[in-house]
Amino acid sequence: HQPGVFVQDARAMAVYDALEALRRSAPRPLQRWFDPLLLAERIAFVGATTGHFASMVSMQRLRQLNPFMAQSLRCFSILQSTSTLLDELNAFAPTVIATYPTVAALLSDVAAQGALHFAPKEIWTGGETLSAAVRRHVEQGLGCMVRNSYGASEFMSIGWECQHGQMHANTDWLILEPIDAQGQPVPPGQVSHSTLLTNLANFVQPLIRYDMGDQITVHKERCECGSSLPVIEVQGRRDDPLLMAGQDGRLVTLLPLALTTLLEDDAGVFDFQLRQQDDHTLVLRLDPHGADAPAAAARCRNALEKFAVTQGLARLRVRTELGRPVTRGRSGKPQRIVAQIQRKHG
Ligand SMILES: [Zn+2]
């Protein structure tokens, strides 16, 4: 299938911006009181900057809306080699890094090797599931607080974290309905099979009971922070970083976001699974229904091999499995990037 295209009107975008700006709790409240517009910060957005990601569009919009902020906000691409990315980040020395949990984990690894020459004060994560173990790894490695948010192309600011570290859902602007495998409502306190989203902010493309595929738990108890918005826990898509053999004998991390962006944007495939077989070999499984599967497989191999060179891999072998169904992962969504061995902090 093709990915959904979600059109947001100006009013909806204003709601997302306001929710992001006002509700995400500040790890340094005093600093925010003196500097509410973040003018004294250097904010680095680290992502797949050629991709179709909503957060990227949102960042570009922020720069247009607030020219003052344009000076303090810069975007960095994970599609370039990790050493180039590090050179750029070290030169900018951001105080705030907004990125995906797997990217934050990689930066934490890099910091442990002494290759990060600045000390960020806040890490904002979103876009992927953030496990407790990865959060600890990032907070210890980078020595600062992590603030996570939960969003999607369908609604960019579904949830935000309060100062008690709890995720609150913006249920004044959206309706979240946790459901079981039969589509029946799941009571509070239980993990759902999937979740239906109704967007109350966007009139241009109304979304009513849209199946997001995320597993959530809605809690009945009120949070100690005093907010009346419900506390939720989210298990979204979880793709693994892949540790591959590099040219210099060291291991190279391939980020799942980079791999999925490559396969979607450069190779034009959306139903796939990339499984690591060993530190030189990946197995690509493509959707059985695609008539042009061999051509698609060739495009994928080409994109992956080019990327392997950029990332400094020793060699890369891509085996393809065509016409085999893509298996489902731990969450309801198929896991698309699967490591050979789970990383210890994953
Ligand atoms: Zn709270």
Side-chain angles (χ1 to χ4, degrees), residues 160-168 222-229 231:
W160 52 282
E161 263 183 12
C162 70
Q163 67 270 30
H164 290 259
Q166 304 282 1
M167 179 79 70
H168 289 269
R222 221 168 137 146
C223 181
E224 287 171 26
C225 74
S227 169
S228 59
L229 297 173
V231 171

Side-chain angles (χ1 to χ4, degrees), residues 76-77 80-90 310:
F76 299 86
S77 176
Q80 56 190 338
S81 75
T82 304
S83 64
T84 309
L85 172 65
L86 286 178
D87 288 347
E88 289 183 5
L89 283 174
N90 280 329
T310 312

Side-chain angles (χ1 to χ4, degrees), residues 6-24 54 57-58 61-62 65 149-160 170 173-174 197-207:
F6 297 98
V7 184
Q8 317 280 353
D9 61 24
R11 183 171 166 281
M13 290 304 286
V15 170
Y16 306 139
D17 288 349
L19 289 175
E20 277 294 305
L22 300 176
R23 288 200 170 153
R24 187 197 290 262
V57 178
S58 204
R61 279 189 69 261
L62 270 178
L65 289 175
S149 67
Y150 172 40
S153 314
E154 300 89 25
F155 193 102
M156 290 178 198
S157 183
I158 297 174
W160 52 282
N170 290 317
W173 287 102
L174 54 84
L197 169 81
T198 298
N199 185 337
L200 303 177
N202 187 11
F203 293 163
V204 140
Q205 184 191 24
L207 273 186

